[in-house]
Amino acid sequence: MPPKSQLDRTAVGLMVLFCTIWGVQQVAIKFGSAGISPLWQAALRSIGATVLVFAWARLRRVRLFETDGTLGAGLLAGLLFAGEFALIFVGLEYTTASRGVIFLYTAPFFVALGAVWLLPHEHMRPAQWAGMALAFAGVLVLFGENLVGLAGDAWIGDLLIFLAAMFWAATTLTVKATVLARASAEKMLIYQLAVSALVLPALAVARGESGIFAPSAMVWASLAFQVLIVATASYLGWFWLIRHYPATRLSAFSFLTPVLGVLAGGLLLAEPLTPAVWAALGLVGLGIWIANRPGSAGR
């Protein structure tokens, strides 16, 4: 399949599906945190997904170990991937999840800025910037009130998650702008999962985390969802999209994730769904539509 300059129905449908999955993941992490400490939860997810992606690649006879010049870029992507999740989980010990969402979802802007130099064929026009700004405004409508009124060490967590957003964007740009762009989605992902499967347990031990301290059926179910559905199925699909479609246009869809996460919390955790949720969903949807209109960007 040759690279495309616009998102078609397949890409849009998959991105909505993946953003829904990633939104539900926020609920799954809450369930998992009741019995597994944060970095160990991320580590176990990477370990389990590494095994599954390797098995999937063997089943499809995808070559993972051939010499193709991707090793350096792959290791870099893996370190960035591991660093992103380490920064998120540690940052959330200092700040609230709602504040963290605001800083984390600055990542699409970093992708767009990096694309100016690294992906000149994905040139951003004013309409795309306006659409992304409108989508981010939707996130602010939903969580913006949490930016005030929190003192103490909250700025440490905010800074760590802001750095995590940079790492997320850097991972996307590394995959898209290096020789990794020619690799299979399985190979793109296995680099990141395998490296994080080594790095995250070491970080968890260094921080003295307790690991699995209260296993239950719900804790194991949440971890299984993260391993099978999130880190294996949805990430394979995401990197397949990254390989074939513009990274800047795909990244704009990520603003859907926090809004869908709140909706999932309302449906699965009986959390309140205020009018701000629906207003945010409308702004995010409109912003994504503007950013991805045919003709709003091109070669």
Side-chain angles (χ1 to χ4, degrees):
M1 177 178 169
K4 298 188 176 184
S5 60
Q6 305 283 344
L7 302 189
D8 54 23
R9 292 181 180 178
T10 298
V12 171
L14 286 174
M15 280 307 302
V16 172
L17 173 63
F18 295 156
C19 288
T20 302
I21 290 171
W22 300 336
V24 174
Q25 176 191 210
Q26 298 176 30
V27 178
I29 290 173
K30 289 183 179 181
F31 283 131
S33 297
I36 308 174
S37 57
L39 283 181
W40 270 115
Q41 186 175 181
L44 291 172
R45 185 183 74 161
S46 287
I47 292 169
T50 299
V51 173
L52 290 179
V53 172
F54 181 78
W56 171 255
R58 288 293 300 270
L59 181 65
R60 298 188 65 241
R61 299 182 180 179
V62 176
R63 296 180 180 180
L64 297 178
F65 301 106
E66 65 179 349
T67 303
D68 56 4
T70 62
L71 180 60
L75 292 177
L76 175 60
L79 290 172
L80 290 169
F81 182 84
E84 173 198 340
F85 285 99
L87 287 166
I88 290 172
F89 281 115
V90 175
L92 288 176
E93 294 185 352
Y94 294 92
T95 191
T96 64
S98 53
R99 285 173 66 95
V101 162
I102 294 171
F103 291 99
L104 183 61
Y105 283 90
T106 59
F109 293 102
F110 290 119
V111 172
L113 288 171
V116 173
W117 293 279
L118 299 175
L119 303 172
H121 58 288
E122 295 190 19
H123 175 66
M124 291 278 290
R125 291 191 175 179
Q128 277 191 284
W129 288 105
M132 290 175 61
L134 189 60
F136 186 67
V139 177
L140 288 177
V141 166
L142 190 56
F143 299 109
E145 63 182 17
N146 296 286
L147 283 175
V148 296
L150 197 62
D153 293 333
W155 69 270
I156 298 175
D158 296 341
L159 178 59
L160 291 176
I161 295 178
F162 186 66
L163 290 173
M166 294 183 181
F167 275 53
W168 178 11
T171 303
T172 300
L173 291 168
T174 298
V175 168
K176 190 69 175 178
T178 67
V179 291
L180 272 180
R182 299 194 299 268
S184 65
E186 290 85 354
K187 192 161 189 174
M188 290 181 189
L189 181 56
I190 204 72
Y191 274 125
Q192 296 170 70
L193 291 173
V195 172
S196 62
L198 296 173
V199 172
L200 290 172
L203 291 176
V205 170
R207 297 188 72 243
E209 286 196 0
S210 56
I212 303 172
F213 58 86
S216 67
M218 183 59 72
V219 168
W220 291 122
S222 69
L223 182 61
F225 172 79
Q226 293 180 65
V227 170
L228 179 60
I229 304 301
V230 178
T232 301
S234 75
Y235 285 1
L236 276 174
W238 163 249
F239 286 112
W240 180 84
L241 288 171
I242 283 289
R243 184 181 182 189
H244 295 292
Y245 294 90
T248 51
R249 291 180 178 273
L250 292 170
S251 293
F253 272 85
S254 64
F255 291 114
L256 272 176
T257 301
V259 183
L260 293 175
V262 173
L263 289 175
L267 294 174
L268 301 177
L269 300 176
E271 294 177 348
L273 295 177
T274 65
V277 177
W278 307 110
L281 184 60
L283 285 171
V284 169
L286 180 60
I288 291 172
W289 176 77
I290 292 173
N292 284 280
R293 282 186 305 165
S296 65
R299 301 191 180 192

